[in-house]
Amino acid sequence: MNYSQKLKKLSDAVRKRLESAPGCHDWEHTRRVLHNARMIADGEKKADMKVVECAAVLHDIARPEELKSKGKLCHAVIGSELADKFLKNCEFRNEEFIKKVCNCVKTHRYRGGHSPLLIEEKIVYDADKLDSIGAVGVGRAFHFAGRIGAKLHNTEKEALGSDSYSSEDSAYREYLVKLRHIHGKLLTKTGRKVAKQRSDFMHEFFRQLNREVYG
Amino acid sequence: MNYSQKLKKLSDAVRKRLESAPGCHDWEHTRRVLHNARMIADGEKKADMKVVECAAVLHDIARPEELKSKGKLCHAVIGSELADKFLKNCEFRNEEFIKKVCNCVKTHRYRGGHSPLLIEEKIVYDADKLDSIGAVGVGRAFHFAGRIGAKLHNTEKEALGSDSYSSEDSAYREYLVKLRHIHGKLLTKTGRKVAKQRSDFMHEFFRQLNREVYG
């Protein structure tokens, strides 16, 4: 089996696992993160593209476990252990390669002392963050609001005065509290450049929305 | 009671009725349509603002009846009958005024031979259509997809090959099939001008989304 065949087998296995995952961390999210990761790795010349690709495909593999545990388990930590098994099942044999990929999975959440240090780790982290902003981020925020039965829109005061998952939650709340700050957290030069464009687009979207509703 | 007090009483009654209406035809939608209607009426000098305001507030009053009948009853027709009662309950007494408002409600859907002819009727029709496009239209489309558990995004081919309310339904499908054609259907000069701007913004949104996902 050559690398392309192994990557295909790995992707099929992850797709099967995440296809019915609810909400915004399904297989489509993973596919977009892979797309982002390849784009960033192209800009960051020193990255090992194969490590980046496999890690992007595997980064959310333990989302179902985290969901089942109601957030007690961390999908990044459990995911890095699962990633090792998935890679071996797909005939990856190079221990050093496997370790690098698993570390990307472990550090992609930047929590609990597991922070991205190597360029491949930073790329996967940035690729995941990019999927939260821009037009995709806007779409995900409204899609989520629809899923939990929250409002379409509200004022800044209403949004900031409400809680996550409440009926006064909204895409605008998510934007104000979280999404508008994300671009400043990216770790690679290429990631930051793309994040700036997407973030500006998202700012313009909410300015336009407010003009339409209150202008 | 002066006009402002009557309009306030009318709005409160409609708000109470639509506050818990599901999805995209709740009180917030009516509030936005009222906002749009005032803006269009400002541009169309010959319109009677009071007729426009009352009709905008009342236009979706029979949505609950249409929903309960699973679409057998038309909310525009039933709504125009209900509007008469609501207006009289709120101490509107001028029969000619009431008839004008009820006709705006009846024709705002442009179906079954009830098409908007007077300027006030055209304004309410346009104000309602405007709420389907632009940033609000984008938000509503994703919010709806989330509510029915449909996809976040798909390709043009997948979107056009799927059915409404199916799991392959998406905001992009709604845009391709419906939303991108709406601005050409508006009836007033002011409505068309605003619709063009909002429609262009919406086109740019989906171009950006496709660039992010497939670019």
Side-chain angles (χ1 to χ4, degrees):
Chain A
M1 248 195 206
N2 64 25
Y3 170 70
S4 292
Q5 292 166 323
K6 289 184 203 172
L7 181 65
K8 172 80 171 60
K9 191 173 175 186
L10 189 69
S11 298
D12 287 345
V14 175
R15 182 205 300 257
K16 205 173 157 189
R17 193 163 218 273
L18 296 180
E19 216 156 37
S20 60
C24 300
H25 298 103
D26 55 1
W27 167 250
E28 299 291 324
H29 162 71
T30 287
R31 216 178 43 74
R32 293 192 302 270
V33 171
L34 174 60
H35 178 79
N36 294 341
R38 281 172 169 151
M39 177 186 56
I40 303 173
D42 271 337
E44 306 287 316
K45 304 231 159 33
K46 287 178 184 165
D48 182 334
M49 182 64 95
K50 292 180 183 175
V51 171
V52 167
E53 287 179 334
C54 289
V57 166
L58 288 164
H59 84 286
D60 261 358
I61 199 170
R63 279 275 176 191
E65 280 74 6
E66 181 170 310
L67 194 71
K68 210 180 288 178
S69 79
K70 295 184 181 170
K72 278 182 194 157
L73 296 175
C74 170
H75 74 274
V77 174
I78 309 286
S80 69
E81 293 161 17
L82 275 176
D84 181 273
K85 289 178 195 156
F86 269 71
L87 287 164
K88 285 171 182 163
N89 277 345
C90 293
E91 300 181 38
F92 287 89
R93 296 282 174 256
N94 184 326
E95 285 290 346
E96 197 190 342
F97 178 86
I98 292 175
K99 195 164 180 196
K100 276 187 184 169
V101 174
C102 293
N103 276 337
C104 289
V105 175
K106 191 187 277 176
T107 58
H108 88 271
R109 214 178 164 205
Y110 211 150
R111 297 226 181 143
H114 307 299
S115 52
L117 295 172
L118 299 183
I119 184 65
E120 292 82 5
E121 294 167 5
K122 290 178 180 175
I123 289 172
V124 175
Y125 172 85
D126 281 6
D128 191 30
K129 282 275 175 285
L130 271 190
D131 198 54
S132 312
I133 59 177
V136 169
V138 167
R140 282 176 63 179
F142 280 101
H143 195 277
F144 178 74
R147 191 156 68 87
I148 67 165
K151 293 190 103 163
L152 182 76
H153 192 49
N154 44 12
T155 62
E156 184 166 343
K157 199 179 157 193
E158 286 165 349
L160 291 178
S162 73
D163 291 323
S164 182
Y165 283 87
S166 74
S167 65
E168 285 285 324
D169 199 353
S170 66
Y172 193 40
R173 181 188 173 279
E174 182 74 359
Y175 165 74
L176 289 171
V177 172
K178 218 161 105 183
L179 307 185
R180 67 173 161 170
H181 306 300
I182 283 179
H183 80 278
K185 296 184 178 171
L186 268 65
L187 305 172
T188 68
K189 201 177 160 189
T190 313
R192 275 195 299 269
K193 197 178 143 193
V194 180
K196 176 73 170 63
Q197 293 160 346
R198 295 194 185 181
S199 205
D200 286 347
F201 181 83
M202 191 171 59
H203 299 327
E204 183 50 33
F205 179 89
F206 283 101
R207 273 196 296 267
Q208 169 76 16
L209 182 61
N210 284 330
R211 270 194 300 267
E212 291 176 15
V213 175
Y214 308 111
Chain B
M1 246 193 211
N2 64 25
Y3 170 71
S4 290
Q5 291 166 323
K6 291 184 201 170
L7 181 65
K8 172 78 170 60
K9 191 173 176 187
L10 190 68
S11 299
D12 287 345
V14 177
R15 183 206 299 257
K16 204 173 158 190
R17 193 163 218 273
L18 296 180
E19 215 156 37
S20 61
C24 300
H25 298 103
D26 54 2
W27 167 250
E28 299 291 323
H29 162 71
T30 287
R31 215 179 42 76
R32 292 191 302 269
V33 171
L34 173 61
H35 178 78
N36 295 340
R38 282 173 169 152
M39 177 186 54
I40 302 172
D42 271 337
E44 305 286 316
K45 306 235 160 30
K46 288 178 185 167
D48 182 334
M49 183 64 95
K50 292 180 183 174
V51 170
V52 168
E53 288 179 332
C54 290
V57 167
L58 289 163
H59 85 284
D60 262 356
I61 198 169
R63 280 275 174 191
E65 281 73 7
E66 180 169 311
L67 193 73
K68 211 180 285 177
S69 78
K70 293 183 181 171
K72 277 181 194 157
L73 297 175
C74 171
H75 75 273
V77 174
I78 308 287
S80 69
E81 294 161 17
L82 275 177
D84 182 272
K85 288 178 198 158
F86 269 71
L87 287 164
K88 286 172 183 163
N89 277 345
C90 294
E91 300 181 39
F92 287 90
R93 296 281 175 257
N94 183 325
E95 285 290 346
E96 197 191 340
F97 178 85
I98 291 175
K99 195 163 181 199
K100 276 187 184 169
V101 174
C102 292
N103 277 337
C104 289
V105 175
K106 193 188 273 176
T107 58
H108 88 271
R109 213 179 165 206
Y110 211 150
R111 297 229 180 140
H114 306 299
S115 52
L117 295 172
L118 300 181
I119 184 65
E120 291 82 5
E121 294 167 5
K122 289 178 181 175
I123 289 171
V124 174
Y125 172 85
D126 281 7
D128 191 30
K129 283 274 175 285
L130 271 190
D131 199 53
S132 312
I133 58 178
V136 169
V138 166
R140 282 177 62 178
F142 280 101
H143 195 276
F144 178 75
R147 190 158 67 88
I148 66 165
K151 293 190 103 166
L152 182 77
H153 191 49
N154 45 12
T155 64
E156 183 165 344
K157 199 179 158 194
E158 286 165 349
L160 292 177
S162 74
D163 291 324
S164 183
Y165 284 88
S166 72
S167 64
E168 285 287 322
D169 199 352
S170 65
Y172 193 41
R173 182 188 173 280
E174 182 73 0
Y175 166 74
L176 290 170
V177 171
K178 219 160 104 182
L179 307 185
R180 66 172 162 173
H181 306 299
I182 283 179
H183 79 277
K185 296 183 178 171
L186 268 66
L187 305 171
T188 67
K189 201 177 160 191
T190 313
R192 275 196 298 272
K193 197 178 143 195
V194 180
K196 175 74 169 63
Q197 294 160 346
R198 294 195 185 181
S199 207
D200 287 347
F201 181 83
M202 192 172 59
H203 300 327
E204 183 50 32
F205 179 89
F206 284 102
R207 274 196 295 270
Q208 169 77 13
L209 183 61
N210 283 330
R211 272 195 298 268
E212 290 176 14
V213 175
Y214 307 113

